């Protein structure tokens, strides 16, 4: 029997090439369980990196699919030692299987708490780690909101900024039933919601936003890297994160380190619930009027887009490699693993004043419901080191209120002139990115 890692893939994709490289480096075999892809070629591209693959008939995976796949793969000669899921909708399935296999992972209740944005806010508030007031939205009974505060609406479970917006008028809550129908109909994202389509409204935290790319091992917190969301565009019913830069440019080192310490305290408060191991993408904002940091989301997974590529550029370590390795890490290797994480940390470099590498990556988004006729990004100078175009001619974009990403691009940047770099690359990408719709 070959020892294998089981990758839980969503519709034929899930960072397959990168996970395959990480698995091979550990002397293990990568096998996969995938939900049915919308287009067969999506799965064919992934199969090149897999030793074997089981595909379901449904567009999303369920617990019974995982158990069946493990048995089927065993019959084919693969003994699954651990599971990995980069797609948030399968994070609980990953933890459920890892618990049965004895692989290193978080406890399922802790993951459920993080994935429920209403419950998480209430928990942080009760622990005096948040000042943000929150209300659950009950159909037909809008909450009584303090008119002196600004409020923000978002799904209790969600991703890709799906239906997230500042509440300018309480009457806008009447749009939620139609948005919920979008959520149920979105063929690619439906699994993210885990059959939860309810909403919350919480105080709007006014200030710059950041993400900490963080790793937990044995409950100890290691912040590998921090990104600032340097360009954010607010549409009527969603938020588009157009550019991320690392290290941050709008706040000084001391404030960034203060934010790091706040995130550490919040994660430590969840360790007792079983939030102990794995990769995390923690979104935070600095509430300028109150001079305090606030958690926006604790995502128990690696960040999307080019987060992993950016982290690897800045720190020399891939989050996916570390996450894969940690699943089966022997007890006698833990101290050395902690040392590697501490040595790689950009935040530790900022704390000591050591130099750090810098990146800028940006995303371009499409118009919902439109069909792409042509798409092109070919800058004559300063091309990105990494370019990923996600759609082709003829692609019909979903009619959903979420960020529909067409392209991601990453540049290495000069850390000594990062403000100028972000301004230039923003203009550079805008000038040379072209998309035409039918």
């Amino acid at each position: 029997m070959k020892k294998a890692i089981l990758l839980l893939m969503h519709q034929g994709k899930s960072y397959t090439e990168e996970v395959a490289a990480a698995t091979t480096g550990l002397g293990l075999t990568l096998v996969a369980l995938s939900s049915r892809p919308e287009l067969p070629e999506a799965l064919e591209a992934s199969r090149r990196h897999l030793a074997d693959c089981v595909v379901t008939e449904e567009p999303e995976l369920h617990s019974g699919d995982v158990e069946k796949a493990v048995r089927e793969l065993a019959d084919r000669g693969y003994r699954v030692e651990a599971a990995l899921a980069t797609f948030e909708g399968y994070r609980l399935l990953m933890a459920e299987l890892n618990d049965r296999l004895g692989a290193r992972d978080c406890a399922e209740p802790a993951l459920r708490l993080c994935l429920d944005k209403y419950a998480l806010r209430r928990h942080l508030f009760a622990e005096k780690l948040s000042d943000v007031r929150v209300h659950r939205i009950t159909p037909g009974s809008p909450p009584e909101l303090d008119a002196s505060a600004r409020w923000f609406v978002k799904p209790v479970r969600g991703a890709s900024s799906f239906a997230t917006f500042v509440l300018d008028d309480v009457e806008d809550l009447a749009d939620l039933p139609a948005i919920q129908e979008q959520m149920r109909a979105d063929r690619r994202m439906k699994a993210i919601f885990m059959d939860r389509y309810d909403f919350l409204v919480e105080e709007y935290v006014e200030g710059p936003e950041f993400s900490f790319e963080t790793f937990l091992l044995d409950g100890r917190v290691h912040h590998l890297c921090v990104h600032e969301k340097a360009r954010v565009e607010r549409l009527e019913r969603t938020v588009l994160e157009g550019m991320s830069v690392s290290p941050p440019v709008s706040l000084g080192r001391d404030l960034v380190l203060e934010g790091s310490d706040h995130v550490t305290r919040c994660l430590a408060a969840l360790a007792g619930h079983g939030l102990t191991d794995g990769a995390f993408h923690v979104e935070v904002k600095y509430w300028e009027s109150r001079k305090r940091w606030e958690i926006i989301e604790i995502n128990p997974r690696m960040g999307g887009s080019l987060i992993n590529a950016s982290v690897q550029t800045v720190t020399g370590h891939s989050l996916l490699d570390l996450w894969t390795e940690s699943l089966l890490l022997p007890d006698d290797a833990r101290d050395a693993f902690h040392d590697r994480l501490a040595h790689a940390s950009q935040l530790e470099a900022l704390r000591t004043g050591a130099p750090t590498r810098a990146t800028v990556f940006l995303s371009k988004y499409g118009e919902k419901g439109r069909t792409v006729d042509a798409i092109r990004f070919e800058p004559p100078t300063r091309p990105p080191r990494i370019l990923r175009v996600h759609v082709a001619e003829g692609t019909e974009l979903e009619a959903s209120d979420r960020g529909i990403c067409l392209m991601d691009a990453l540049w290495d940047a000069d850390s000594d002139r990062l403000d100028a770099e972000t301004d230039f690359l923003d203009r550079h990408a805008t000038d040379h990115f072209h998309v035409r719709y039918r």
Side-chain angles (χ1 to χ4, degrees):
M1 297 279 280
K2 294 181 180 179
K3 294 182 179 181
I5 298 286
L6 177 64
L7 177 62
L8 304 180
M9 297 170 57
H10 185 54
Q11 298 179 6
K13 297 179 180 179
S14 281
Y15 293 92
T16 317
E17 183 175 359
E18 296 90 337
V19 179
T23 305
T24 300
L26 297 170
L28 298 168
T29 300
L30 184 63
V31 294
L33 168 64
S34 176
S35 55
R36 175 176 52 81
E38 183 182 358
L39 299 173
E41 52 264 35
L43 184 56
E44 290 310 308
S46 295
R47 281 187 188 273
R48 295 197 299 268
H49 308 289
L50 300 169
D52 206 340
C53 183
V54 175
V55 184
T56 71
E57 294 298 321
E58 299 298 324
E60 59 186 88
L61 297 179
H62 303 282
S63 182
D65 298 325
V66 178
E67 296 176 11
K68 182 180 177 183
V70 170
R71 292 194 301 269
E72 188 170 335
L73 288 163
D75 291 340
R76 299 179 188 178
Y78 302 100
R79 185 174 73 232
V80 172
E81 302 281 325
L84 181 66
T86 62
F87 179 67
E88 185 175 298
Y90 300 156
R91 186 64 183 87
L92 296 178
L93 299 181
M94 170 185 166
E96 181 183 342
L97 180 56
N98 283 335
D99 182 57
R100 292 203 302 271
L101 296 173
R104 191 182 299 274
D105 204 344
C106 293
E108 191 176 338
L111 296 174
R112 288 188 180 277
L113 178 58
C114 289
L115 292 168
D116 186 324
K117 295 174 176 57
Y118 176 76
L120 178 64
R121 177 66 65 202
R122 296 261 297 183
H123 181 80
L124 294 174
F125 193 91
E127 294 286 329
K128 303 189 185 308
L129 292 167
S130 175
D131 276 355
V132 175
R133 293 173 289 176
V134 64
H135 303 275
R136 191 190 298 275
I137 299 175
T138 304
S141 179
E144 293 185 12
L145 302 177
D146 180 355
S148 66
R150 293 189 79 194
W151 297 88
F152 194 78
V153 176
K154 60 185 179 184
V156 169
R157 280 187 176 156
S160 299
S161 298
F162 203 128
T164 59
F165 57 95
V166 173
L167 187 63
D168 294 319
D169 188 329
V170 73
E171 296 299 320
D172 290 344
L173 296 178
D175 292 347
L176 293 188
I179 292 174
Q180 288 168 326
E181 287 306 307
Q182 285 185 22
M183 294 160 74
R184 292 184 176 94
D186 193 306
R187 57 187 182 271
R188 293 186 183 174
M189 296 297 294
K190 180 176 179 291
I192 286 284
F193 306 113
M194 304 177 194
D195 294 323
R196 288 280 302 276
Y197 303 101
D198 46 335
F199 279 77
L200 63 86
V201 58
E202 64 183 11
E203 281 185 279
Y204 181 60
V205 179
E206 187 76 60
E209 187 167 356
F210 307 81
S211 67
F212 284 84
E213 321 314 333
T214 298
F215 206 92
L216 294 184
L217 184 71
D218 304 322
R220 285 174 57 184
V221 179
H222 297 272
H223 300 301
L224 287 182
C225 187
V226 57
H227 290 90
E228 179 172 0
K229 301 179 182 184
R231 299 289 186 274
V232 176
E233 182 182 2
R234 301 201 175 279
L235 303 185
E236 184 179 18
R237 290 293 179 264
T238 192
V239 178
L240 303 181
E241 298 172 358
M243 175 184 283
S244 291
V245 55
S246 182
V249 292
S250 70
L251 295 184
R253 185 191 71 166
D254 289 345
L255 266 181
V256 172
L257 293 174
E258 182 183 307
S260 168
D261 292 340
H262 177 72
V263 175
T264 297
R265 288 192 296 273
C266 292
L267 293 172
L270 294 164
H273 295 263
L275 201 74
T276 56
D277 294 274
F280 290 80
H281 175 69
V282 186
E283 299 183 2
V284 294
K285 295 184 79 172
Y286 182 66
W287 204 342
E288 292 178 320
S289 64
R290 302 195 187 183
K291 306 300 181 191
R292 63 169 288 128
W293 286 88
E294 286 285 355
I295 293 283
I296 302 301
E297 297 178 356
I298 297 177
N299 298 293
R301 54 166 172 79
M302 183 184 77
S305 183
L306 293 177
I307 287 287
N308 189 53
S310 179
V311 172
Q312 188 160 14
T313 299
V314 169
T315 70
H317 289 267
S318 157
L319 274 169
L320 265 179
D321 287 356
L322 292 167
W323 198 8
T324 306
E325 182 180 353
S326 73
L327 295 171
L328 299 171
L329 188 71
D331 287 345
D332 61 5
R334 290 182 300 177
D335 289 344
F337 199 89
H338 281 296
D339 289 344
R340 284 165 57 198
L341 294 171
H343 181 73
S345 170
Q346 180 195 52
L347 274 298
E348 289 305 310
L350 292 176
R351 200 177 297 276
T352 62
T356 176
R357 297 185 68 181
T359 60
V360 173
F361 72 84
L362 57 84
S363 302
K364 292 294 184 181
Y365 297 89
E367 299 177 19
K368 68 176 186 178
R370 302 290 299 275
T371 298
V372 175
D373 186 47
I375 184 169
R376 180 168 54 88
F377 184 60
E378 298 172 355
T381 60
R382 192 92 186 260
R385 181 164 59 81
I386 298 175
L387 174 63
R388 294 176 184 166
V389 179
H390 304 296
V391 300
E393 178 182 334
T395 301
E396 182 180 346
L397 306 182
E398 291 85 352
S400 286
D401 284 305
R402 62 172 170 87
I404 302 173
C405 188
L406 303 182
M407 181 198 80
D408 293 310
L410 180 143
W411 287 263
D412 300 309
D414 184 345
S415 59
D416 292 328
R417 51 189 303 275
L418 210 41
D419 271 319
E421 290 276 72
T422 56
D423 289 341
F424 167 76
L425 291 171
D426 189 23
R427 294 192 305 271
H428 187 59
T430 299
D431 289 345
H432 299 291
F433 176 73
H434 303 285
V435 59
R436 185 174 70 240
Y437 298 100
R438 292 177 182 172

